[in-house]
Amino acid sequence: MAATRRPGRNHLFIPGPTNIPERVLRAMHVPSEDHRSPSFPELVKPLLQDSKMVFGSTNGTVILFPSSGTGIWESALSNTLCRGDKVLTARYGQFSHLWVDMAQRLGLDVIVQDEEWGAGADPQKIEEALRADKDHAIKAVMVVHNETATGVTSDIGAVRKAIDAAGHPALLFVDGISSIGSLPFYMDDWKVDCAIAGSQKGFMLPAGLGLICISPKALKIAEGGTGRNDRLGHAYFAWKDQLAANATGYFPYTPVLPLLYGLREALAIVKEEGLENVYHRHHVLGEATRQAVAAWGLKPCAKEPKWNSDTVTAIVVPEGADAAKVITHAYERYNLSLGAGLSKVAGKVFRIGHLGDLNELSLLGAIAGAEMAMLDCGIKVTPGSGVAAASSYLRENPLHKA
Ligand code: PLP
């Protein structure tokens, strides 16, 4: 009789949702409660303050929406911009593409700087476009910090410098969905106006909680500071309703209670590890993955080392091989979930997500599984080479600085 049970754990190495720590799972195991009770603000108020740390902000205001990250994109655009406003963005992967698509569908006039998939936002081109915009028609610059589809991280500090060098007042919106909580993110220093995050990546929670940190400048515009009256429509995603309810520790509608308890525990975990340690750990695990890729004789999708992401590596399979087959085989044979290639890179890459709650040995499990799956699918990598390279690197480079 064929066994229906799959022994052991699924090795989840997609770039989100990520593995949920046991502590967070337990914290979410709560009975329903009255979200209008007198004690509810004791849960909510600290969350709104404490989550700012992960954004690198003390000046910002956090709102927690019952939504995935995509909804938070929409909230950033719809609360600050007017119909027909110009926005400037760079597109270099599926998620930066989808943000363009949303902005267009909402009725914005989107200036797109297309970059090769495998590269990131070009601060110089952004500066040039802003310098050319003499009458300041561009109202916002939108950048995906970590393009999860290609494993590329853009330099947001450099984008900020470009905006300042051009002397341009545009808002800066950053999608940090696969970076915030894993990669260094300094919202206040970079003067980011809307930083967008989702619960299912660095926050180590299930999907369903969208987080946005809003600068005082963006809040003022949302409150009607420019006097414009042709705002993009919004209702469910209105910041105003959230802020009014949050001021007393409540929400304008029914919150996702288990996720709030989970967030409280996840933030406690991040505090215990220390954000700088979290960033360092992600760097070490990212580099170990890249060492494995090099030992296999393969290349990451990221075109230059400066674009390498420490949360996800997209690995290009050799010409003629099908990355989708590797992913299916890894799942069926080894119970390993690898990330699929999306859109333009479908079939050409598979992705190893190395973000969230993981350590050396969990990563090595994914590298071993990817190696075995590639070999089974006829991709000629040297057996054991990726594991050997990654493990040597990991032995020499502790996850945390002493
Ligand atoms: N932006 C980036 C960079 C992402 O990685 C994702 C999801 O993977 C999204 C946006 C979409 O977020 P969500 O699926 O939470 O709506």
Side-chain angles (χ1 to χ4, degrees):
M1 189 182 83
T4 49
R5 176 175 178 265
R6 305 195 79 184
R9 293 195 70 144
N10 169 253
H11 270 58
L12 183 66
F13 277 84
I14 58 172
T18 64
N19 293 288
I20 305 172
E22 293 288 337
R23 273 173 65 180
V24 173
L25 283 173
R26 280 195 294 274
M28 290 190 298
H29 195 72
V30 288
S32 288
E33 68 181 80
D34 177 10
H35 59 286
R36 305 198 195 282
S37 79
S39 58
F40 200 65
E42 286 165 31
L43 168 66
V44 176
K45 283 188 162 180
L47 288 181
L48 297 172
Q49 280 309 313
D50 295 348
S51 49
K52 286 203 264 185
M53 131 191 107
V54 186
F55 288 89
S57 179
T58 50
N59 302 335
T61 301
V62 166
I63 298 179
L64 308 172
F65 280 104
S67 156
S68 81
T70 304
I72 306 306
W73 277 348
E74 185 157 339
S75 100
L77 301 176
S78 69
N79 280 272
T80 57
L81 300 173
C82 298
R83 197 154 291 282
D85 272 354
K86 276 192 175 18
V87 292
L88 174 67
T89 191
R91 172 165 58 190
Y92 33 80
Q94 181 63 3
F95 294 103
S96 38
H97 165 70
L98 287 174
W99 208 6
V100 168
D101 178 58
M102 174 187 280
Q104 286 170 338
R105 284 201 268 164
L106 287 174
L108 296 167
D109 179 359
V110 189
I111 306 166
V112 183
Q113 296 183 338
D114 272 306
E115 307 293 347
E116 200 183 355
W117 283 38
D122 182 340
Q124 204 178 326
K125 271 163 74 174
I126 291 175
E127 183 179 333
E128 281 161 18
L130 293 176
R131 277 190 194 281
D133 179 41
K134 300 272 184 248
D135 56 354
H136 296 168
I138 296 171
K139 297 301 173 207
V141 176
M142 297 156 43
V143 185
V144 173
H145 184 200
N146 190 75
E147 177 50 81
T148 322
T150 54
V152 160
T153 304
S154 289
D155 184 345
I156 303 300
V159 172
R160 165 44 65 196
K161 281 197 188 124
I163 298 173
D164 289 351
H168 201 288
L171 294 164
L172 174 59
F173 295 164
V174 178
D175 170 342
I177 291 173
S178 61
S179 65
I180 291 172
S182 309
L183 304 184
F185 197 92
Y186 305 113
M187 159 134 186
D188 288 357
D189 290 354
W190 295 337
K191 292 184 274 167
V192 173
D193 292 296
C194 288
I196 293 151
S199 50
Q200 75 274 23
K201 311 232 180 205
F203 286 93
M204 307 172 288
L205 294 164
L209 200 61
L211 302 92
I212 183 164
C213 194
I214 308 161
S215 73
K217 179 176 164 187
L219 261 192
K220 191 157 174 266
I221 290 175
E223 280 160 7
T226 59
R228 293 180 299 171
N229 59 6
D230 52 346
R231 284 292 164 80
L232 295 182
H234 56 256
Y236 182 78
F237 283 116
W239 292 349
K240 198 165 142 233
D241 299 347
Q242 283 278 359
L243 294 173
N246 288 174
T248 51
Y250 295 95
F251 291 97
Y253 30 67
T254 319
V256 201
L257 191 73
L259 284 175
L260 298 180
Y261 280 103
L263 178 62
R264 184 165 77 178
E265 194 61 22
L267 291 173
I269 289 176
V270 170
K271 260 194 200 159
E272 276 167 36
E273 185 173 357
L275 257 181
E276 293 302 323
N277 281 326
V278 169
Y279 299 154
H280 185 71
R281 175 167 58 84
H282 280 83
H283 176 66
V284 171
L285 295 170
E287 188 51 38
T289 309
R290 293 187 285 275
Q291 296 281 331
V293 175
W296 288 329
L298 300 178
K299 293 224 168 348
C301 186
K303 299 285 176 210
E304 289 177 57
K306 69 172 180 179
W307 301 123
N308 283 337
S309 163
D310 284 335
T311 58
V312 52
T313 301
I315 297 146
V316 182
V317 297
E319 200 66 37
D322 182 357
K325 281 203 179 129
V326 176
I327 295 164
T328 304
H329 184 77
Y331 182 72
E332 287 179 350
R333 176 80 163 82
Y334 302 114
N335 205 1
L336 166 65
S337 296
L338 297 167
L342 303 173
S343 173
K344 269 193 204 179
V345 289
K348 295 182 182 155
V349 307
F350 68 87
R351 295 176 295 157
I352 297 182
H354 31 82
L355 73 164
D357 188 38
L358 74 159
N359 61 21
E360 294 99 330
L361 297 192
S362 30
L363 180 68
L364 285 170
I367 291 172
E371 196 168 285
M372 289 155 82
M374 282 192 288
L375 284 163
D376 295 351
C377 292
I379 298 177
K380 290 189 176 35
V381 295
T382 306
S385 57
V387 174
S391 58
S392 301
Y393 177 83
L394 288 167
R395 285 176 54 230
E396 308 230 318
N397 294 278
L399 291 188
H400 293 152
K401 287 183 189 157

mmCIF file of all heavy atoms in Angstrom, residues 200-220:
data_model
loop_
_atom_site.group_PDB
_atom_site.id
_atom_site.type_symbol
_atom_site.label_atom_id
_atom_site.label_comp_id
_atom_site.label_asym_id
_atom_site.label_seq_id
_atom_site.Cartn_x
_atom_site.Cartn_y
_atom_site.Cartn_z
ATOM 1 N N GLN A 200 4.055 38.144 6.335
ATOM 2 C CA GLN A 200 4.450 36.755 6.066
ATOM 3 C C GLN A 200 5.908 36.564 5.668
ATOM 4 O O GLN A 200 6.287 35.501 5.213
ATOM 5 C CB GLN A 200 3.549 36.168 4.968
ATOM 6 C CG GLN A 200 3.828 36.621 3.545
ATOM 7 C CD GLN A 200 3.142 37.918 3.153
ATOM 8 O OE1 GLN A 200 2.802 38.713 4.008
ATOM 9 N NE2 GLN A 200 2.953 38.135 1.866
ATOM 10 N N LYS A 201 6.728 37.613 5.827
ATOM 11 C CA LYS A 201 8.137 37.446 5.406
ATOM 12 C C LYS A 201 9.030 37.638 6.632
ATOM 13 O O LYS A 201 9.103 36.764 7.472
ATOM 14 C CB LYS A 201 8.447 38.419 4.279
ATOM 15 C CG LYS A 201 7.385 38.347 3.180
ATOM 16 C CD LYS A 201 7.909 38.159 1.819
ATOM 17 C CE LYS A 201 6.777 38.108 0.825
ATOM 18 N NZ LYS A 201 7.065 37.404 -0.356
ATOM 19 N N GLY A 202 9.683 38.803 6.752
ATOM 20 C CA GLY A 202 10.580 39.006 7.894
ATOM 21 C C GLY A 202 9.861 38.984 9.233
ATOM 22 O O GLY A 202 10.479 38.715 10.262
ATOM 23 N N PHE A 203 8.567 39.265 9.242
ATOM 24 C CA PHE A 203 7.831 39.255 10.508
ATOM 25 C C PHE A 203 7.472 37.832 10.965
ATOM 26 O O PHE A 203 6.931 37.662 12.066
ATOM 27 C CB PHE A 203 6.568 40.128 10.407
ATOM 28 C CG PHE A 203 6.857 41.613 10.416
ATOM 29 C CD1 PHE A 203 7.031 42.316 9.232
ATOM 30 C CD2 PHE A 203 6.978 42.302 11.609
ATOM 31 C CE1 PHE A 203 7.314 43.681 9.237
ATOM 32 C CE2 PHE A 203 7.254 43.667 11.626
ATOM 33 C CZ PHE A 203 7.427 44.358 10.438
ATOM 34 N N MET A 204 7.715 36.843 10.122
ATOM 35 C CA MET A 204 7.581 35.421 10.498
ATOM 36 C C MET A 204 6.164 35.041 10.931
ATOM 37 O O MET A 204 5.962 34.230 11.830
ATOM 38 C CB MET A 204 8.573 35.083 11.635
ATOM 39 C CG MET A 204 10.008 35.462 11.341
ATOM 40 S SD MET A 204 11.115 35.262 12.765
ATOM 41 C CE MET A 204 10.602 36.615 13.823
ATOM 42 N N LEU A 205 5.176 35.659 10.308
ATOM 43 C CA LEU A 205 3.769 35.414 10.640
ATOM 44 C C LEU A 205 3.055 34.860 9.402
ATOM 45 O O LEU A 205 3.592 34.927 8.301
ATOM 46 C CB LEU A 205 3.099 36.738 11.030
ATOM 47 C CG LEU A 205 3.583 37.414 12.304
ATOM 48 C CD1 LEU A 205 3.133 38.858 12.333
ATOM 49 C CD2 LEU A 205 3.035 36.675 13.507
ATOM 50 N N PRO A 206 1.840 34.386 9.564
ATOM 51 C CA PRO A 206 1.072 34.081 8.354
ATOM 52 C C PRO A 206 0.775 35.378 7.587
ATOM 53 O O PRO A 206 0.866 36.471 8.161
ATOM 54 C CB PRO A 206 -0.238 33.488 8.906
ATOM 55 C CG PRO A 206 0.033 33.166 10.319
ATOM 56 C CD PRO A 206 1.109 34.076 10.791
ATOM 57 N N ALA A 207 0.396 35.258 6.331
ATOM 58 C CA ALA A 207 -0.031 36.445 5.582
ATOM 59 C C ALA A 207 -1.331 36.969 6.190
ATOM 60 O O ALA A 207 -2.059 36.216 6.851
ATOM 61 C CB ALA A 207 -0.241 36.075 4.125
ATOM 62 N N GLY A 208 -1.620 38.217 5.980
ATOM 63 C CA GLY A 208 -2.913 38.741 6.418
ATOM 64 C C GLY A 208 -2.832 40.025 7.207
ATOM 65 O O GLY A 208 -3.863 40.654 7.476
ATOM 66 N N LEU A 209 -1.604 40.413 7.579
ATOM 67 C CA LEU A 209 -1.458 41.691 8.266
ATOM 68 C C LEU A 209 -0.544 42.550 7.396
ATOM 69 O O LEU A 209 0.604 42.176 7.136
ATOM 70 C CB LEU A 209 -0.826 41.457 9.643
ATOM 71 C CG LEU A 209 -1.004 42.541 10.689
ATOM 72 C CD1 LEU A 209 -2.482 42.758 10.999
ATOM 73 C CD2 LEU A 209 -0.270 42.149 11.972
ATOM 74 N N GLY A 210 -1.067 43.646 6.912
ATOM 75 C CA GLY A 210 -0.255 44.567 6.128
ATOM 76 C C GLY A 210 0.183 45.700 7.031
ATOM 77 O O GLY A 210 -0.620 46.233 7.803
ATOM 78 N N LEU A 211 1.466 46.037 6.948
ATOM 79 C CA LEU A 211 1.978 47.107 7.818
ATOM 80 C C LEU A 211 2.470 48.250 6.947
ATOM 81 O O LEU A 211 3.159 48.028 5.948
ATOM 82 C CB LEU A 211 3.144 46.620 8.679
ATOM 83 C CG LEU A 211 2.887 45.429 9.607
ATOM 84 C CD1 LEU A 211 3.245 44.117 8.921
ATOM 85 C CD2 LEU A 211 3.702 45.560 10.886
ATOM 86 N N ILE A 212 2.124 49.451 7.354
ATOM 87 C CA ILE A 212 2.695 50.611 6.668
ATOM 88 C C ILE A 212 3.226 51.573 7.714
ATOM 89 O O ILE A 212 2.602 51.766 8.761
ATOM 90 C CB ILE A 212 1.667 51.298 5.731
ATOM 91 C CG1 ILE A 212 2.348 52.452 4.975
ATOM 92 C CG2 ILE A 212 0.430 51.793 6.459
ATOM 93 C CD1 ILE A 212 1.563 52.936 3.763
ATOM 94 N N CYS A 213 4.409 52.130 7.453
ATOM 95 C CA CYS A 213 4.941 53.184 8.315
ATOM 96 C C CYS A 213 4.950 54.458 7.460
ATOM 97 O O CYS A 213 5.476 54.458 6.337
ATOM 98 C CB CYS A 213 6.334 52.815 8.813
ATOM 99 S SG CYS A 213 6.877 53.860 10.183
ATOM 100 N N ILE A 214 4.336 55.494 8.000
ATOM 101 C CA ILE A 214 4.063 56.705 7.216
ATOM 102 C C ILE A 214 4.833 57.877 7.820
ATOM 103 O O ILE A 214 4.789 58.098 9.042
ATOM 104 C CB ILE A 214 2.551 57.015 7.247
ATOM 105 C CG1 ILE A 214 1.738 55.784 6.840
ATOM 106 C CG2 ILE A 214 2.212 58.202 6.360
ATOM 107 C CD1 ILE A 214 0.275 55.850 7.265
ATOM 108 N N SER A 215 5.497 58.649 6.963
ATOM 109 C CA SER A 215 6.269 59.806 7.455
ATOM 110 C C SER A 215 5.309 60.951 7.798
ATOM 111 O O SER A 215 4.175 61.012 7.275
ATOM 112 C CB SER A 215 7.240 60.282 6.377
ATOM 113 O OG SER A 215 6.522 60.946 5.346
ATOM 114 N N PRO A 216 5.758 61.891 8.621
ATOM 115 C CA PRO A 216 4.918 63.061 8.904
ATOM 116 C C PRO A 216 4.532 63.815 7.621
ATOM 117 O O PRO A 216 3.406 64.298 7.490
ATOM 118 C CB PRO A 216 5.811 63.931 9.803
ATOM 119 C CG PRO A 216 6.776 62.961 10.435
ATOM 120 C CD PRO A 216 7.006 61.898 9.409
ATOM 121 N N LYS A 217 5.466 63.853 6.647
ATOM 122 C CA LYS A 217 5.174 64.564 5.385
ATOM 123 C C LYS A 217 4.011 63.903 4.631
ATOM 124 O O LYS A 217 3.080 64.587 4.172
ATOM 125 C CB LYS A 217 6.445 64.551 4.515
ATOM 126 C CG LYS A 217 6.327 65.217 3.161
ATOM 127 C CD LYS A 217 7.688 65.202 2.466
ATOM 128 C CE LYS A 217 7.589 65.497 0.990
ATOM 129 N NZ LYS A 217 8.876 65.309 0.292
ATOM 130 N N ALA A 218 4.049 62.579 4.554
ATOM 131 C CA ALA A 218 2.979 61.871 3.832
ATOM 132 C C ALA A 218 1.658 61.983 4.594
ATOM 133 O O ALA A 218 0.587 62.122 3.987
ATOM 134 C CB ALA A 218 3.360 60.409 3.634
ATOM 135 N N LEU A 219 1.753 61.947 5.916
ATOM 136 C CA LEU A 219 0.514 62.062 6.710
ATOM 137 C C LEU A 219 -0.155 63.401 6.478
ATOM 138 O O LEU A 219 -1.383 63.497 6.347
ATOM 139 C CB LEU A 219 0.846 61.950 8.205
ATOM 140 C CG LEU A 219 0.628 60.613 8.887
ATOM 141 C CD1 LEU A 219 0.718 60.773 10.390
ATOM 142 C CD2 LEU A 219 -0.712 59.987 8.505
ATOM 143 N N LYS A 220 0.686 64.441 6.417
ATOM 144 C CA LYS A 220 0.142 65.796 6.223
ATOM 145 C C LYS A 220 -0.568 65.880 4.872
ATOM 146 O O LYS A 220 -1.676 66.435 4.768
ATOM 147 C CB LYS A 220 1.302 66.801 6.300
ATOM 148 C CG LYS A 220 0.868 68.213 6.388
ATOM 149 C CD LYS A 220 1.957 69.088 7.008
ATOM 150 C CE LYS A 220 1.552 70.531 6.943
ATOM 151 N NZ LYS A 220 2.060 71.222 5.761
#
